[in-house]
Amino acid sequence: MTVRLDRSSPRVKRRREKTNAPARPSLRSLTTADRPAIVEIFSHIKLFSTAEVTVALEVLDASFVPDQKDYQTLGADLEGKLVGWVCWGATPCTVGTYDMYWIAVDPSVHGAGVGSALVDEMEHRLKGVARLIVVETGGRRDYEPTRAFYLARGYEQVARVPDFYAPGDDQMVFV
């Protein structure tokens, strides 16, 4: 006989507190009501320029347009608060290639598995659909943890475009 415990039950909460095990993120679809929380997440991330945040929010807004197929988004909640999001879509003019356009996780929860949960779910949804997932990121030193995250997730660096984003900021391409 299998007994399932409600994760919100006091018994499970006490066990989590006792072992200091972090809560697992809850993944869900995003709505327009989530936009302010995503703006807040970006305000805590110091890597992105104002122009990059503007583009990310344009992509987010485009994902809310009914019946559009270009952008898929997913959010991650911890303790009822949106703390991360990911956006992906089919790469135009390709067969089975998808881009992970954006992933952002509030720095206060880095290391809690939020980014991994978002990428895992994106990959799960693309299984049998995508033959290749492409991720592009910066080559600056402050992006080292980001690149290490992709490598740890099994992505392989396949290209480096010197000075792509700006002088001294290469584009790093992972698949």
Side-chain angles (χ1 to χ4, degrees):
M1 174 180 196
T2 302
V3 177
R4 289 192 174 174
L5 292 176
D6 176 0
R7 293 201 180 282
S8 64
S9 75
R11 183 174 163 191
V12 172
K13 284 183 181 177
R14 262 186 266 117
R15 185 175 58 219
R16 188 180 303 135
E17 288 168 8
K18 191 180 282 185
T19 62
N20 292 326
R24 293 191 50 86
S26 172
L27 304 179
R28 63 178 176 82
S29 298
L30 294 172
T31 70
T32 55
D34 293 311
R35 192 180 197 278
I38 291 173
V39 169
E40 183 179 347
I41 290 168
F42 276 114
S43 76
H44 298 152
I45 299 171
K46 304 304 178 200
L47 288 177
F48 301 125
S49 70
T50 302
E52 289 170 320
V53 172
T54 299
V55 170
L57 294 174
E58 288 173 0
V59 169
L60 175 68
D61 292 339
S63 77
F64 297 137
V65 174
D67 300 322
Q68 67 80 31
K69 303 277 190 240
D70 295 329
Y71 304 109
Q72 305 301 310
T73 58
L74 189 63
D77 291 333
L78 274 179
E79 299 176 5
K81 180 182 178 190
L82 184 67
V83 294
W85 77 293
V86 65
C87 176
W88 70 93
T91 308
C93 302
T94 69
V95 176
T97 300
Y98 282 73
D99 281 301
M100 180 168 47
Y101 292 114
W102 287 95
I103 185 169
V105 174
D106 192 299
S108 69
V109 297
H110 280 182
V114 174
S116 292
L118 287 165
V119 172
D120 286 348
E121 183 60 22
M122 176 197 69
E123 291 172 350
H124 174 75
R125 292 181 183 198
L126 290 174
K127 190 172 185 169
V129 176
R131 62 178 182 78
L132 190 64
I133 299 172
V134 178
V135 179
E136 300 170 0
T137 193
R140 297 188 325 245
R141 171 173 256 141
D142 54 351
Y143 274 87
E144 283 179 12
T146 302
R147 294 188 301 271
F149 170 80
Y150 294 129
L151 291 170
R153 297 283 318 122
Y155 286 78
E156 176 185 354
Q157 182 184 326
V158 295
R160 176 186 209 125
V161 182
D163 302 321
F164 181 83
Y165 295 107
D169 188 7
D170 302 345
Q171 178 190 53
M172 310 298 276
V173 181
F174 293 81
V175 297

